[in-house]
Amino acid sequence: MKPPSVDRLARSLEHVDLPFPLLVESVREAVRAGDPDRAEEMAIRRTRQLLQPVINATGVLLHTNLGRAPVDSELRGAYQSLEYDLSTGARGDRSVHAAALLALVTNAEAAFVVNNGAAAVMLTMRTLAHNQDVVVSRGELVEIGGSFRVPDVLTESGARLVEVGTTNRTRCADYERALADERFDVGAVLKVHQSNFRLEGFVEEASVQQLGALPVPLIVDLGSGLLDARCPWLEGPPPAWLAREPAVKQTLASGADLVTFSGDKLLGGPQAGIIAGNAELVAKCARQPLARALRPGGQVLALLQSTVLAYLRNEGDRIPLWRMAGADNDSLRQRGLAVARAGSIPTDRVSPTTAVMGGGTLPGESIPSWGLHLPSSFSELLRNQTPAIIARVHRDQTIVDFRTIDPADDTFVAKVLAGLDGPW
Ligand SMILES: *Cc1c(COP(=O)(O)O)cnc(C)c1O
């Protein structure tokens, strides 16, 4: 039985917007800590543990801890034509919407959507090279963010790794030697984009064109999901910071049989993984029993579909990530000045900053931006707002970077700043 005091204390907290069991949990935690007076503080802290929208003022466009690409998260409570054919009234196919559009925009024969990039690589390897060998350059046995390690993913998929070349140099002949070696039964060649680091100096790698000509399927794990190097969805030419980033469309055109990439990196959509390329190989992946365990839900497919429709209309401004990444730098300065004035902060606190793409993409590349420079102690005050404003702390300063803030949130940011005291 519940001690009556816990119940009473929890009832006294009903002004905190939480279901009763969570209030009870908070009271218990305070009692356990020997300080029942802190129950309210615990309950408020519990509300902060719920998944909620935040304002990203870090200047990191794909902030891994803030869900990478910004997407709408509203639950609309509607049914969807997920697997229902509206023309015939018969059972439909969940590959005709988002997946079909992704194929169209990248000029792939077909595409298949799974839960994330890691799942896309895993499913591809499991389908094409289970109990077989996969040839990978030693320079591409990489680790990407939260525990995605190429050798481990291969092992889990039941494929055997054959390493070729060296850390800095791998030639096509290295792959050819492995293919000719009769100890190996090679199911595929895997080329992995070194997403989050850069090798400089005495380096060499085999091109997609060369590897695509080999007699086994070439799978390229691109990771970031830049759909087209020409960026036709942007008004001007492709930005300089994209110059080294391989794109899906061009990689397929160069001879990759399949490419894999994430939905929530440079694609700017929800968390998802995409396998695109040769129709027969894509269909084989889709038929693999593991595919069922890796499939995303309708909400994800709906978000992905609206993202890709914007690409097909060449309307980058409809994709929040590209709207932010492509915003004119002077407009960021103007917004910074307006927010400073509205918040009664000296305008000399507004100065240039350096934003980055983040999310394990575009290492070493920076994107010019403008931000408000505040004392470092302000980061906690900003974080404690609802919605929380997550700023960047750099060299004893809290920087509120406007490149990653939705302009619709400027008024809120200004209001919060107006309530804070200097010293400036
Ligand atoms: C990011 C990345 C992955 C993992 O994708 P997730 O969507 O994070 O699972 C795999 N390979 C490469 C090259 C990547 O950049």
Side-chain angles (χ1 to χ4, degrees):
M1 218 180 72
K2 212 181 289 174
S5 62
V6 169
D7 208 74
R8 189 156 22 86
L9 207 51
R11 268 182 224 295
S12 77
L13 296 178
E14 273 172 348
H15 57 281
V16 180
D17 185 22
L18 279 181
F20 194 67
L22 288 178
L23 294 176
V24 169
E25 193 183 79
S26 306
V27 170
R28 289 228 167 97
E29 202 184 329
V31 169
R32 257 200 312 277
D35 195 354
D37 288 347
R38 289 181 58 210
E40 184 176 9
E41 182 194 324
M42 303 271 191
I44 289 168
R45 191 184 302 170
R46 193 70 187 82
T47 66
R48 312 285 290 170
Q49 288 170 341
L50 299 177
L51 194 58
Q52 55 201 284
V54 300
I55 295 173
N56 177 6
T58 63
V60 181
L61 284 149
L62 297 172
H63 197 299
T64 305
N65 299 348
L66 305 182
R68 289 194 187 153
V71 288
D72 288 319
S73 52
E74 302 236 323
L75 290 178
R76 267 169 294 154
Y79 290 102
Q80 288 180 306
S81 57
L82 182 61
E83 288 184 5
Y84 186 87
D85 185 332
L86 292 175
S87 314
T88 62
R91 177 169 181 168
D93 177 349
R94 61 165 75 202
S95 70
V96 300
H97 20 76
L101 302 182
L102 277 159
L104 185 61
V105 77
T106 58
N107 222 357
E109 289 174 14
F112 187 68
V113 183
V114 290
N115 280 325
N116 50 45
V121 178
M122 170 85 85
L123 179 60
T124 307
M125 289 298 124
R126 165 90 203 181
T127 306
L128 302 183
H130 187 60
N131 285 333
Q132 282 185 294
D133 297 285
V134 173
V135 187
V136 190
S137 159
R138 290 199 169 89
E140 297 173 2
L141 295 174
V142 301
E143 171 170 327
I144 315 269
S147 73
F148 175 93
R149 291 179 142 191
V150 170
D152 298 346
V153 172
L154 280 180
T155 305
E156 283 303 314
S157 72
R160 292 183 301 264
L161 168 64
V162 176
E163 305 176 17
V164 295
T166 61
T167 304
N168 56 330
R169 291 174 73 107
T170 305
R171 301 180 190 83
C172 193
D174 295 320
Y175 294 87
E176 283 166 351
R177 256 196 307 281
L179 287 176
D181 191 325
E182 49 192 44
R183 286 173 302 161
F184 302 136
D185 169 23
V186 177
V189 165
L190 174 65
K191 186 167 175 55
V192 184
H193 177 43
Q194 297 156 333
S195 298
N196 52 8
F197 71 105
R198 215 148 80 184
L199 279 176
E200 304 253 13
F202 192 53
V203 296
E204 181 176 351
E205 62 179 312
S207 70
V208 170
Q209 232 144 359
Q210 290 174 313
L211 298 180
L214 298 176
V216 293
L218 169 65
I219 316 305
V220 181
D221 178 23
L222 284 171
S224 82
L226 174 66
L227 291 186
D228 184 341
R230 293 178 306 112
C231 300
W233 57 90
L234 298 181
E235 278 201 7
W241 38 264
L242 273 183
R244 295 165 184 251
E245 189 63 19
V248 175
K249 189 172 183 175
Q250 284 74 20
T251 303
L252 286 171
S254 300
D257 294 288
L258 288 180
V259 296
T260 55
F261 52 97
S262 301
D264 53 355
K265 293 183 179 172
L266 292 181
L267 178 57
Q271 182 189 303
I274 294 110
I275 302 169
N278 176 279
E280 218 172 289
L281 298 182
V282 169
K284 228 171 142 182
C285 291
R287 281 197 306 270
Q288 226 291 322
L290 186 61
R292 177 65 170 74
L294 302 177
R295 77 180 192 187
Q299 288 76 14
V300 167
L301 293 175
L303 286 168
L304 202 51
Q305 171 178 274
S306 61
T307 308
V308 184
L309 284 173
Y311 278 107
L312 286 166
R313 295 188 171 107
N314 284 337
E315 289 176 349
D317 273 354
R318 288 208 194 185
I319 303 163
L321 174 72
W322 286 106
R323 190 165 64 229
M324 289 177 174
D328 171 60
N329 207 26
D330 194 57
S331 73
L332 302 183
R333 185 177 80 96
Q334 298 300 341
R335 286 172 50 203
L337 291 172
V339 167
R341 283 188 203 106
S344 305
I345 293 170
T347 49
D348 64 1
R349 288 272 154 189
V350 179
S351 55
T353 59
T354 310
V356 294
M357 187 52 78
T361 70
L362 310 182
E365 301 288 351
S366 57
I367 303 172
S369 182
W370 284 81
L372 260 172
H373 294 66
L374 307 170
S376 63
S377 58
F378 279 40
S379 62
E380 190 182 345
L381 293 167
L382 295 173
R383 199 174 61 240
N384 286 340
Q385 306 298 320
T386 306
I389 302 168
I390 316 295
R392 173 165 94 239
V393 178
H394 181 66
R395 292 204 184 122
D396 284 344
Q397 284 193 309
T398 291
I399 300 170
V400 174
D401 193 312
F402 285 91
R403 184 154 299 276
T404 48
I405 299 176
D406 186 332
D409 290 326
D410 283 2
T411 316
F412 176 74
V413 174
K415 200 181 91 192
V416 168
L417 292 173
L420 301 179
D421 287 326
W424 308 113

